[in-house]
Amino acid sequence: MTYPTETLTESNIWATTPDLTHLRQKLLDLFAQVAYQEGDFVLASGLHSSYYVNKMQVTLHPQGILAVARLVFPLLPEDTQAVAGLTMGADPLVTAVSVVSVYENRPIPALIIRKEAKGYGTRAYIEGPTLPEGAKIVVLEDVVTTGQSALKAVERLQAAGYTVNQVIALVDRHQGGGELYQSAGLKFEALFSIQEIQERFRQLANS
C-alpha cells in the first residue's frame, strides 16, 4: 500500500494542529485513501461483505494512529482509569491513547485483553497494570460489525472486577454492534460511520 505523499510529509500538522475538526477530516481522507476497499470479502464475524476496511493501514500508520489517539482522548470521561481492548486490533489504539494522555497531563494506562488465557506464567487474560477493584475502564475497538469482539473484552474486564460503561470505536459498520452494546447497558460512539468513509472514498475517486 502506497501512502499519500502529503500525509507523509506533513507530520507537524498531524501532531500539533489544535483544530480537531481539521484533524478528523484528514483522518477520514486517510481511511478513504488507504483502508477502504471494495470487492468480495469474508469478515472476522464470518459475514460476507462487498467492502472491507483494512484498519491496520491506518492504525499502524504513524500520522494515522496519532490522529486516532488525539481524537479518541477527548471522548474519554474524566474519571477514566484505563483504556482497554481485545488483541490485536485494539493494541495500537490503547497504546497510542495512553501515550497521548501523558502529553495531555492526564496519564491513562492501557490494558490488552487476550483472546485466550496466556499458557504460561500468570496465565492471565488481561495484560497491563493491575488497577484497583472497580476501576473505570473504556473499551476501544477498531471496526465494529456485530460488536462481539469488544463485548468479549468488556465481559473479561468486568469478570476481573473492573467497571466498564463505554465502548469507543474508529468505524461503525452499522450491522448490529451498536444495538448489542445498548442492550448490554453500554454507551457507544464511533469516530466515523461506514457511510462517511464510503462517501469520501467516492468523492476522492471522482476528483
Side-chain angles (χ1 to χ4, degrees):
M1 177 65 67
T2 301
Y3 291 114
T5 302
E6 177 182 285
T7 297
L8 296 173
T9 58
E10 294 186 347
S11 297
N12 287 342
I13 293 176
W14 294 77
T16 63
T17 178
D19 185 353
L20 295 186
T21 300
H22 178 60
L23 186 64
R24 183 182 185 277
Q25 182 61 49
K26 291 180 74 65
L27 184 61
L28 175 60
D29 286 350
L30 190 63
F31 266 104
Q33 289 169 321
V34 306
Y36 182 79
Q37 304 171 48
E38 294 187 340
D40 185 16
F41 302 96
V42 178
L43 307 178
S45 62
L47 298 175
H48 287 262
S49 177
S50 61
Y51 66 87
Y52 181 63
V53 182
N54 189 357
K55 62 277 182 176
M56 290 294 190
Q57 292 292 333
V58 172
T59 62
L60 295 179
H61 177 285
Q63 286 90 343
I65 191 58
L66 176 59
V68 164
R70 292 191 63 202
L71 291 166
V72 168
F73 178 80
L75 302 180
L76 301 176
E78 286 292 329
D79 60 356
T80 301
Q81 292 173 265
V83 288
L86 192 69
T87 197
M88 65 184 237
D91 294 0
L93 308 184
V94 299
T95 303
V97 170
S98 183
V99 170
V100 164
S101 75
V102 175
Y103 288 96
E104 296 292 338
N105 296 314
R106 186 158 66 100
I108 296 174
L111 303 177
I112 291 173
I113 316 302
R114 291 177 176 272
K115 292 179 181 177
E116 303 295 338
K118 184 164 60 174
Y120 56 91
T122 60
R123 300 184 182 275
Y125 269 114
I126 302 172
E127 298 291 353
T130 300
L131 304 173
E133 185 173 355
K136 296 182 179 179
I137 299 174
V138 174
V139 166
L140 306 184
E141 179 67 294
D142 46 22
V143 178
V144 168
T145 305
T146 64
Q148 292 294 337
S149 293
L151 189 61
K152 184 181 294 184
V154 169
E155 291 169 346
R156 288 188 177 156
L157 289 163
Q158 291 174 336
Y162 298 133
T163 300
V164 185
N165 296 315
Q166 184 171 0
V167 174
I168 299 175
L170 302 189
V171 180
D172 183 5
R173 290 178 56 110
H174 292 283
Q175 290 182 267
E179 291 77 7
L180 178 67
Y181 301 142
Q182 183 178 16
S183 69
L186 299 166
K187 178 183 177 183
F188 172 62
E189 55 189 316
L191 292 184
F192 304 106
S193 69
I194 190 59
Q195 289 80 9
E196 284 182 278
I197 294 174
Q198 290 172 326
E199 180 180 358
R200 188 58 178 153
F201 174 80
R202 292 179 183 122
Q203 288 173 347
L204 292 172
N206 294 326
S207 62

